Amino acid sequence: MSQTATISSTRRELPPLMRLTDTAATRLRHLYATAHAGELLRISVSTKGCSGKAYDMEFVKQSGEGDEVVKDHGLTLLVDRKATLFLIGTQMDYRETDLEEGFVFINPNEKGRCGCGESFHV
């Protein structure tokens, strides 16, 4: 008598690659409508800084061969395919303080940051 194992075909849903907060979406929408009309924001991760990795952002005219397309809040942004493992589940926010303003990343994959906050490690 042979026994067969039942394998569940239910898969756990993967988190989105990236999400935008409402504040980040508002700022990016403004940039796409003004200074960067016709361009897309491209996010990558490079090797640098005290902790080893840093977020890089640039505006590009079109997606490259190695880019993942992320759509959120009706906006499109690009993520370098080599950065996807570092960014899965990341939320991009936009913050303004008395001394600075800019996009920030809330990344559940980060294990730590350097003292100045410019680089991270996973």
Side-chain angles (χ1 to χ4, degrees):
M1 184 188 252
S2 110
Q3 293 181 338
T4 57
T6 303
I7 299 173
S8 173
S9 64
T10 57
R11 289 184 149 177
R12 187 179 67 167
E13 187 174 318
L14 294 174
L17 179 55
M18 285 191 69
R19 292 185 190 175
L20 300 171
T21 64
D22 292 340
T23 309
T26 298
R27 180 62 180 160
L28 189 55
R29 189 171 284 111
H30 172 75
L31 291 171
Y32 281 175
T34 57
H36 297 284
E39 297 180 313
L40 295 169
L41 180 64
R42 182 175 188 271
I43 300 168
S44 59
V45 172
S46 62
T47 303
K48 63 179 161 184
C50 326
S51 287
K53 303 279 181 215
Y55 301 105
D56 288 324
M57 295 184 290
E58 65 178 324
F59 285 95
V60 297
K61 295 285 185 193
Q62 63 186 21
S63 64
E65 228 178 87
D67 289 334
E68 297 288 338
V69 176
V70 174
K71 294 180 184 271
D72 192 22
H73 286 80
L75 296 165
T76 301
L77 58 136
L78 307 172
V79 175
D80 178 357
R81 187 170 290 142
K82 291 179 270 181
T84 56
L85 289 177
F86 301 112
L87 297 176
I88 292 172
T90 295
Q91 184 177 54
M92 189 168 93
D93 193 13
Y94 184 79
R95 296 189 184 152
E96 294 181 54
T97 67
D98 290 339
L99 299 175
E100 64 184 1
E101 64 182 75
F103 290 107
V104 295
F105 297 90
I106 300 102
N107 186 339
N109 305 302
E110 283 185 20
K111 301 298 181 222
R113 285 187 165 253
C114 67
C116 67
E118 292 297 317
S119 64
F120 67 98
H121 67 274
V122 291

